[in-house]
Every structure is written in C-alpha cells, then in structure tokens.
Amino acid sequence: MLDTNLTDVSLCLFAAVFAVVVVFNKNPVVAAFSLLLMFIGFGGIYFRLGSVFLTTIQILVYAGAIAILFVFVLMLMNLEETKTFIPTKNFSLFAGIVAILAMFGILTIIIFNNTDYLATDKLPEVSMNTLFTKLFETYLVPFELSTLLLLGATVAVVFISKKRIPQ
Amino acid sequence: MLDEFLEILIKTVVILAIPLGSIPLILQMERRGAAWIQKRVGPNRVGPYGLFQPLADVFKFLFKEEVVPSHVKKFFYIIAPILSLLMALLPLAGLPLCAPFFIGDQKVYPEVFRSGLGIFYVFAATALGPYGILLAGWASNNKFSMLGALRACAQMISYELAISTTIVAIFFIYGSSDLHVMVEKQNESLYGIIPAWGVFLQPVGCVLFLVGIFAESNRLPFDLAEGESELVAGYHVEYSSMKFALFYMAEYVHMIILSTLFVTIFFGGYGLLPGMGFVVENLPSSIYFLQAISLISKVAIMMWFFVWVRWSIPRFRYDQLMNLGWKTLLPIGLVNLLVTVIVIYLRSN
C-alpha cells in the first residue's frame, strides 16, 4: 500500500489550492503565476510517486516553457484586472456547473472501475533507456501521429490568425 | 536517518558556500579587469590593492535605507528578488564538484540531489530562471522595468532552445545524461595526444553553448534587459539596498552555474589540470581536493572570459539579438544535431 504522509497531503493541497486560485483570481498575471505553482506541485506529486524523470519533464516543459509563455503573453498584453471570471448569466452558470459535475462524475466512474491499474506501491524507477525504447519502438506510430497533429494545429493557427488579403 | 540528514546538510553548505563566497572576489576581478582593459587604475583605495572594496560594498548594501516605492505591487515586489536568487541557486544541487568518493565502504556522491537525470535536472532548474526577473518587472509597475523584464525573458527563452539542441547532441555523444560519466569519458585521450574534451568532439555545439550562456545570464553583449541608454536599469530600476544586491547575486550565480555546466560538458569538468598528476602519484588521497581545485580554476577562467568579452564587444540591438537567436543559432544547432546523429549512426554500424 502506498504510505501517504503529511508531505503527500500537503503537496496535493498545494496543487489544489493554486488550481482554485487560477480560476478565481481577478488578476490574470497572478492567475498565471498560480498556474506555475500548480505545475510545480504536480512535479512534487510525481516525485513522491517515485518518478524523477516525469518530475524533471514536468518542470522543464510545463513550468519552464508553457507557464512562462502564459505569463509573458499576459504581461505583453498588459491586461487590466477583470471584474470576475465567473459567468454571471444564469444559463452560462448552469452550463458550467453541469460541465463540472459531469466531468467529476466521469472521472470518478473511470477511477473506480479501473482500481487494478491504480498505483498501490511506489513506481519502479524507469530508466530513460526503457522509456524511450518503448516510445520509439513499440509506440512509434502513435507518437509520430501525435506530432503530425501538433504540426497541423500550428499550421491552422497561423492560417486563422493571418490577415486576409482582399481579392 | 541522521547520517543521511547530516550528509545532505554538509553537501548543501559546501555547494552554496563556494559560489556565494566567491561572488565578492569575482566582482573585484571584474572591476580591476575592466580598469585594466580600459587603462584605468580601478578601485585600489580600500585595503591592500583595493581587495576590501567588496566588503565595503556589502556594508553599503546592508546599511542603505530600504525604500519601497508607493506605486509597486508590494507583496510581489518583495518576493521577486528572493525568488530570483532562489531559482538561480536551484541548479547547484545537481552539479558535481569532484568524482564520487568512498567513506569507509560507502560510495558518496558530491551532488546534493543525485538522480539518474544529471544534466536534465540542471537544465530544468535553469529553465525556471526568468520567473524572478518577470515578477520583478511586473511588480515594479513601471514601464522601464516591464520592458526590461520582457526583453530578458524573451531572450532567455529564445537562447534556451539553441542551448538545448547542444545538450541533446552532447547527450547522444556520451550516451548518458550523468555528468560523472561525461567527465570520465572526457578524461580519455583522443588519438593519444589531446584529451577527449567535448570541445574537440562538438566544436560547433561548444560555440553555440558559449553564445547561449551570455544571452541566458543577460551579460554584455546581450544585456539588453538593462540597456541603460534606453531603460535606465531594466527590471531592477525600482530596487535598492539589499533587494538590489539579491538580483546582483542572482546574476553572478547564474553565470557561475552556466559556466560550471559549460566546463563540465566541454572542458573535462573536474578532470585534473595538466601537471596535477604528479601530485596525485605522490599523495593519492589529495585527488578529490585537486579535482575540485581543477573545476574551480576552469570556472574562474570562464569568469575572466565574461569580463574580457564585456569590455571588448559592444551591445547588440534587440532585433539583431533575436535574429541571431532564431535565424542563425537555432538552425545551426539543429543541423549540428542532425550531423551528430548521422555520424553516431554510421559509426555504430
């Protein structure tokens, strides 16, 4: 059984609290910094579960690159403090609550139907060799397909944001 | 449990004391070096040869009034310098000062945080560097600070890419991300004459990394974040006394860490300097000490190189900097990576 102690609980709380701050804080820059702290909290959880590799990738990619771009763009646009991010119209509020409840329900069902796959012990330390052999031999095609998907998305973004030249 | 705690404590104190303690010396070297290059006398009033000048600086920083301007976002304004130094110190935990040694029959690694990832941990921790600067620029609530922070951040992100292509190439060459393995492989000799240092195996990568270091640590010729003719002082305009000193220290720690990483992967790391083999033969127990001395000497030479470049090359314009990063260094880095991979593939067959 995974021995849960105070460190694990406080890491989860850390990530959860900053996740809530991201949604409810009125200042976009503070929200972006909370997102960063949430990513770091996730990194800590991965570390406690025994995967140093995942922690490093989490910090390098999410905290070091993605969150920094969010902060950077928000600062560049110099956004004023918004009134609130909570939708005020009744319908949007209702739809939001339904969406949250539905997602929570789906996740609960998935987790409780697949308890066999839950980590009950610390993960074995996976070496980078085994990891990348799996990625580039066993799962080569799905991996390459996902990169194609990202490339397609990039091209689409450039196309959408491009100024249309009048005929 | 207590032993483990004590071990980590000792390692942490040593690894923090060496860079933080050498900052005053580096500062003095920079000032006297700048004076020497510009044919000035330089600071020589305080103590013999002006050696106590850094001490005088410390007292000045400590006794200056703490000013918090009224228009700043106070909480973020105060944590920004602390965060800046903290993020700068993080990568130190993964850098080895000497080869793993034995106490009794237990193998002890000199790094504080020992993981199988080595260089990737150091690089991940370095990637957090821009946050302190961004936060400082934003919290100062001042257009000059903001522009300085944005410039610093954009430039660090851009040059990180060029550096990362080099790190991947180096990783392929040595076949391991462990810094100890890299140093061991570099201490073998190439064709029996020269040491198999990374600089001979990856000359293009070495130049890319070197340029990247200057851009990452915001030093001349890439110090556009604090271009004083345009931005007063960039992201730390509003900071004074000890808070300013923290930014200053963070910049130097950043330089030290990147230089250590640079000499570790390109110049044989803690591999002994020529001439030291004689001492080791006569006194085998001194090897770990001499390894640390070798590494520190190599980093000191890098520090002098920083000063040298600072007073030799004028500042770039910002568009030139961005063009250099994205249109020159990144493509060269990618081609270098491709060539490296092809050569490794051909040699393995």
Side-chain angles (χ1 to χ4, degrees):
Chain A
M1 198 52 209
L2 204 65
D3 53 330
T4 312
N5 62 15
L6 199 66
T7 321
D8 296 314
V9 174
S10 47
L11 269 174
C12 294
L13 272 180
F14 181 86
V17 164
F18 283 108
V20 171
V21 174
V22 174
V23 180
F24 288 100
N25 198 287
K26 288 176 183 173
N27 193 322
V29 177
V30 176
F33 269 105
S34 309
L35 188 70
L36 161 73
L37 290 172
M38 191 189 81
F39 285 149
I40 292 177
F42 281 172
I45 293 169
Y46 295 150
F47 186 78
R48 289 291 303 173
L49 285 173
S51 178
V52 182
F53 180 74
L54 209 53
T55 308
T56 311
I57 295 302
Q58 169 83 13
I59 301 287
L60 191 63
V61 175
Y62 283 92
I66 292 179
I68 216 161
L69 283 179
F70 278 172
V71 176
F72 187 78
V73 169
L74 286 174
M75 284 183 175
L76 203 63
M77 294 199 298
N78 202 10
L79 291 179
E80 292 301 307
E81 289 202 359
T82 45
K83 287 268 162 24
T84 169
F85 281 129
I86 307 298
T88 41
K89 283 184 183 162
N90 279 336
F91 177 71
S92 325
L93 193 65
F94 176 71
I97 290 171
V98 169
I100 289 170
L101 285 179
M103 198 171 137
F104 197 73
I106 290 168
L107 278 178
T108 318
I109 290 167
I110 289 174
I111 289 170
F112 280 95
N113 280 341
N114 297 288
T115 39
D116 297 349
Y117 301 114
L118 287 181
T120 50
D121 206 344
K122 276 206 168 178
L123 300 172
E125 182 59 58
V126 184
S127 78
M128 283 165 87
N129 252 333
T130 33
L131 193 77
F132 288 112
T133 314
K134 273 256 188 274
L135 197 59
F136 286 103
E137 280 172 9
T138 321
Y139 299 107
L140 181 65
V141 177
F143 179 70
E144 290 301 324
L145 281 179
S146 70
T147 58
L148 272 183
L149 188 71
L150 285 176
L151 184 70
T154 316
V155 173
V157 165
V158 171
F159 180 74
I160 290 170
S161 59
K162 200 175 66 176
K163 275 192 187 135
R164 293 286 158 81
I165 302 159
Q167 298 284 327
Chain B
M1 180 65 202
L2 191 67
D3 278 358
E4 199 180 336
F5 177 73
L6 203 66
E7 184 191 323
I8 291 179
L9 188 71
I10 291 172
K11 283 179 187 171
T12 313
V13 169
V14 170
I15 206 75
L16 284 181
I18 294 174
L20 289 178
S22 59
I23 288 176
L25 286 173
I26 296 170
L27 264 177
Q28 186 64 7
M29 181 182 79
E30 174 146 22
R31 289 197 180 127
R32 293 298 293 237
W36 183 63
I37 290 174
Q38 297 176 326
K39 297 217 160 150
R40 290 187 285 113
V41 181
N44 65 348
R45 293 290 105 180
V46 194
Y49 303 103
L51 274 176
F52 294 156
Q53 182 69 40
L55 205 66
D57 283 346
V58 170
F59 277 108
K60 180 193 158 198
F61 278 132
L62 281 177
F63 289 112
K64 265 184 106 169
E65 188 189 348
E66 291 271 345
V67 183
V68 180
S70 56
H71 58 80
V72 299
K73 300 178 173 71
K74 204 168 171 199
F75 175 70
F76 298 103
Y77 174 83
I78 288 170
I79 63 163
I82 304 170
L83 204 68
S84 198
L85 185 61
L86 191 74
M87 299 284 193
L89 287 171
L90 267 180
L92 275 176
L95 291 172
L97 200 60
C98 60
F101 50 89
F102 289 90
I103 294 179
D105 52 353
Q106 198 191 355
K107 200 174 188 185
V108 180
Y109 284 95
E111 309 99 296
V112 180
F113 176 60
R114 166 84 190 159
S115 67
L117 291 156
I119 195 169
F120 291 103
Y121 164 75
V122 179
F123 198 60
T126 318
L128 294 177
Y131 282 112
I133 291 174
L134 264 182
L135 198 59
W138 176 71
S140 294
N141 208 357
N142 169 327
K143 284 201 172 71
F144 289 135
S145 304
M146 191 68 220
L147 278 172
L150 288 177
R151 277 181 172 192
C153 179
Q155 138 186 3
M156 281 161 134
I157 296 174
S158 315
Y159 279 76
E160 230 166 58
L161 282 173
I163 289 188
S164 60
T165 58
T166 319
I167 287 186
V168 174
I170 281 288
F171 175 56
F172 285 147
I173 282 187
Y174 296 128
S176 169
S177 60
D178 191 347
L179 289 166
H180 288 295
V181 177
M182 288 188 182
V183 172
E184 265 167 38
K185 292 210 170 163
Q186 288 183 75
N187 284 329
E188 294 159 6
S189 72
L190 210 63
Y191 308 120
I193 322 161
I194 41 173
W197 283 356
V199 63
F200 301 120
L201 300 171
Q202 265 299 319
V204 179
C206 178
V207 173
L208 282 183
F209 203 104
L210 190 60
V211 176
I213 289 179
F214 279 88
E216 279 271 298
S217 53
N218 287 325
R219 290 280 297 188
L220 265 165
F222 302 125
D223 73 333
L224 292 127
E226 37 194 280
E228 57 272 0
S229 52
E230 306 138 29
L231 296 178
V232 191
Y235 58 91
H236 53 62
V237 176
E238 305 284 3
Y239 286 88
S240 61
S241 74
M242 210 55 209
K243 292 201 283 295
F244 169 72
L246 287 181
F247 281 120
Y248 213 62
M249 278 153 78
E251 186 188 322
Y252 278 88
V253 170
H254 215 96
M255 276 161 61
I256 293 172
I257 286 170
L258 288 168
S259 306
T260 315
L261 195 60
F262 180 70
V263 298
T264 306
I265 59 182
F266 288 111
F267 287 92
Y270 54 72
L272 294 179
L273 289 173
M276 281 184 171
F278 175 72
V279 185
V280 175
E281 273 169 28
N282 292 313
L283 196 68
S285 56
S286 67
I287 182 164
Y288 303 110
F289 181 68
L290 288 178
Q291 280 175 339
I293 297 275
S294 303
L295 181 68
I296 291 170
S297 319
K298 286 171 184 171
V299 174
I301 293 170
M302 274 301 294
M303 288 293 132
W304 167 247
F305 188 73
F306 271 108
V307 178
W308 194 14
V309 168
R310 177 171 182 180
W311 301 107
S312 306
I313 303 177
R315 184 179 294 144
F316 277 53
R317 229 173 41 223
Y318 201 68
D319 57 327
Q320 290 172 332
L321 170 90
M322 279 298 162
N323 282 342
L324 181 70
W326 287 99
K327 292 185 183 165
T328 314
L329 294 187
L330 187 59
I332 292 177
L334 290 174
V335 171
N336 181 41
L337 184 59
L338 187 69
V339 172
T340 311
V341 171
I342 290 173
V343 170
I344 291 174
Y345 179 72
L346 291 179
R347 283 184 60 148
S348 68
N349 281 358

